[in-house]
Amino acid sequence: MEGQMAKILLVEDDEFFALAVQSTLEGESYQVVLAVNGKNAIDCLNKEPFDCVLCDVQMPIMNGLELARWMKENKPRPLILMTGFAEAVNTKTALDLNAANLLLKPFSDEELLTAIRAIVRTKNQSATPPAGVGEADPQIARESPAETQDQAVMDLIKIPTASLVQGGTAQFNLYKEDSGRMTKLITRGEPLNPKDPQFLGLAYLFTEKSSLEKILNDNILVAKAVAKTRVVDPAKKAKVIEAAIELIFKKAAISGIDQALVKESADLIACYMQTFNDEALWAILFSLEQGPQLIFSHTFAVTVISVIIAHAHQMSIDDCLKAVTVGIFHDIGETKLPKRLIETPWVLLSMAERRQVEAHVTLGVEMLSASQAVRSEICEIIGQHHENCDGTGYPRKLNASQIHPLARLVHVVDDF
Ligand SMILES: [Fe+2]
Ligand SMILES: [Fe+2]
């Protein structure tokens, strides 16, 4: 807990890498401010105090070594350099520049957090800053534990209690809302007992949004999935969400689904929309727009309905987020097919055309495997999303025991 609320300036020009590091740090309740090059970082350092600067070496406009030199002379702060080019900066250079650590990319979350904690611990253990690393931050020093807790839980997401409390060990910090205030019930790593009286009567609990995003990003190697992120217009996002919800309501009305369940589903969509907040994920989703519009709206609807059903069956959060990934990518192979084939109802297709449409499964898996966009487990599930339990599906005619539960789920939703 010693590192909570320390403020870190992350200087990194690769937005995907920055996103991954930011998510890891925010998952541990650090405050992160992002700068995209050395010059941008200087502006930030001149504006506000930071406990630590985590800086890439190779950057346009002003690189990390130039920034480190500037900091040494003008604004000494604890510095960690990150580089994928071991030859470009060695330990001696890093030490000369007052760097407290040198992280070689790719590094693990644990290596990153160990390096950060070493600095934060140093800071907390001394009333005055260590020699050569600048003055203490009076703002941080003033914070009481209560204030820290309040700020740390600002970015929370509401999830049904049944999904979060399934026994075993807590994967997330869990909070409950109490008269507008958040109270922490369980810390990540503690044992979870679904029958624990403190969970009784609580339909929803809260957890850090960044923790869910981290799992989602773990399913998708975001950096490789999208060559260039384009920020999606919020109005467009809202329109898509609205359309998906409307579609679900319409389907529900036609199928005569219980209204309470429909309402609960809308709540769940709202929960998961927050996890969709990752721009890179939206960019993947919107890249489907290049293909027939039908694929795009179908994909989105399958994604949200799959998540709702996964929730209703009390699947773990991990599986729910896998359902998100599978939903997004399951029909990506259809982007390789002629638009006419996609838009023609199945019953009107000739046998040869049907075989062509069926090929979207293997085409999709090939696309995803080639781009290494998603993890192999997800590719495997997507490769099974048209298999039937009785062995009549395609492409491999698998039987029930061979089909992944999430592939069966998405298949049912696909038909719905
Ligand atoms: Fe499909
Ligand atoms: Fe589909």
Side-chain angles (χ1 to χ4, degrees):
M1 296 290 283
E2 74 269 15
Q4 286 208 347
M5 298 317 294
K7 198 194 288 176
I8 296 165
L9 177 61
L10 172 60
V11 194
E12 171 63 66
D13 64 313
D14 179 329
E15 59 186 303
F16 294 111
F17 190 76
L19 189 81
V21 171
Q22 184 174 11
S23 151
T24 302
L25 294 174
E26 288 179 348
E28 296 293 312
S29 302
Y30 292 104
Q31 283 186 69
V32 179
V33 172
L34 188 62
V36 292
N37 57 51
K39 197 167 174 304
N40 189 201
I42 290 176
D43 293 341
C44 296
L45 285 161
N46 281 333
K47 241 185 269 167
E48 55 185 321
F50 289 92
D51 296 284
C52 172
V53 177
L54 182 60
C55 180
D56 185 26
V57 171
Q58 300 280 325
M59 288 181 296
I61 304 177
M62 182 179 189
N63 71 35
L65 298 183
E66 290 166 325
L67 173 66
R69 276 183 209 106
W70 179 90
M71 282 171 59
K72 190 178 176 186
E73 284 164 22
N74 301 284
K75 188 91 55 179
R77 306 300 308 163
L79 170 72
I80 297 172
L81 288 171
M82 309 180 284
T83 180
F85 302 90
E87 67 280 12
V89 52
N90 56 37
T91 312
K92 185 176 177 312
T93 314
L95 284 173
D96 286 348
L97 293 169
N98 270 359
N101 209 330
L102 178 64
L103 287 173
L104 291 181
K105 292 179 186 174
F107 46 80
S108 67
D109 286 357
E110 210 36 60
E111 285 171 304
L112 168 68
L113 294 171
T114 304
I116 297 281
R117 285 180 194 130
I119 285 176
V120 173
R121 192 175 295 125
T122 303
K123 175 185 179 297
N124 284 359
Q125 279 167 354
S126 49
T128 52
V133 294
E135 71 283 12
D137 176 357
Q139 193 189 337
I140 302 279
R142 270 202 316 271
E143 277 171 0
S144 70
E147 284 165 343
T148 303
Q149 168 95 350
D150 263 1
Q151 286 200 30
V153 298
M154 265 171 21
D155 205 10
L156 297 178
I157 182 167
K158 186 169 86 167
I159 299 283
T161 304
S163 302
L164 285 166
V165 183
Q166 298 178 321
T169 305
Q171 288 178 284
F172 309 96
N173 295 328
L174 299 180
Y175 303 84
K176 74 166 180 179
E177 193 180 6
D178 213 353
S179 318
R181 276 185 67 87
M182 290 294 172
T183 311
K184 195 181 204 178
L185 295 181
I186 295 281
T187 300
R188 185 167 51 180
E190 283 180 355
L192 267 183
N193 174 8
K195 296 206 164 68
D196 190 328
Q198 66 177 336
F199 300 129
L200 272 180
L202 292 176
Y204 290 96
L205 287 172
F206 294 78
T207 190
E208 280 94 355
K209 189 173 74 174
S210 54
S211 307
L212 292 184
E213 285 171 350
K214 201 163 163 237
I215 297 182
L216 194 56
N217 286 342
D218 200 41
N219 288 331
I220 307 172
L221 303 175
V222 178
K224 288 180 181 168
V226 191
K228 197 163 168 252
T229 306
R230 55 199 171 99
V231 173
V232 179
D233 174 9
K236 204 170 182 185
K237 276 185 199 173
K239 218 172 128 199
V240 172
I241 294 169
E242 215 177 277
I245 292 176
E246 195 187 304
L247 191 137
I248 291 159
F249 272 80
K250 267 190 201 157
K251 291 269 187 187
I254 294 165
S255 322
I257 293 175
D258 175 303
Q259 282 307 301
L261 188 63
V262 174
K263 157 109 188 46
E264 194 185 324
S265 302
D267 275 354
L268 290 171
I269 296 168
C271 289
Y272 273 87
M273 283 309 105
Q274 291 179 61
T275 309
F276 266 82
N277 225 353
D278 182 334
E279 286 301 329
L281 209 57
W282 276 101
I284 294 168
L285 203 55
F286 275 79
S287 69
L288 297 172
E289 233 184 337
Q290 312 307 326
Q293 279 295 310
L294 215 63
I295 303 175
F296 176 63
S297 51
H298 167 77
T299 292
F300 193 78
V302 166
T303 304
V304 287
I305 298 173
S306 298
V307 172
I308 289 166
I309 295 178
H311 256 309
H313 283 78
Q314 306 205 336
M315 288 190 176
S316 68
I317 292 289
D318 280 6
D319 280 342
C320 290
L321 293 177
K322 273 182 199 158
V324 172
T325 320
V326 171
I328 287 173
F329 289 108
H330 79 280
D331 275 340
I332 200 164
E334 289 191 358
T335 57
K336 295 276 182 203
L337 300 179
K339 193 176 174 187
R340 180 189 61 80
L341 280 184
I342 307 298
E343 291 177 349
T344 307
W346 182 259
V347 288
L348 300 182
L349 292 174
S350 69
M351 288 310 278
E353 286 170 331
R354 288 183 185 183
R355 296 294 90 81
Q356 251 185 294
V357 172
E358 286 175 3
H360 79 275
V361 177
T362 37
L363 282 172
V365 172
E366 275 168 27
M367 281 166 78
L368 296 170
S369 308
S371 73
Q372 298 182 330
V374 303
R375 300 211 179 271
S376 54
E377 187 196 358
I378 306 285
C379 285
E380 179 64 27
I381 299 170
I382 289 171
Q384 299 177 358
H385 85 270
H386 281 288
E387 297 290 354
N388 293 330
C389 290
D390 62 1
T392 59
Y394 62 86
R396 289 191 283 157
K397 301 196 186 321
L398 301 178
N399 61 44
S401 65
Q402 295 170 300
I403 307 172
H404 193 288
L406 282 174
R408 289 160 64 172
L409 189 158
V410 169
H411 189 14
V412 171
V413 174
D414 214 6
D415 286 348
F416 176 71

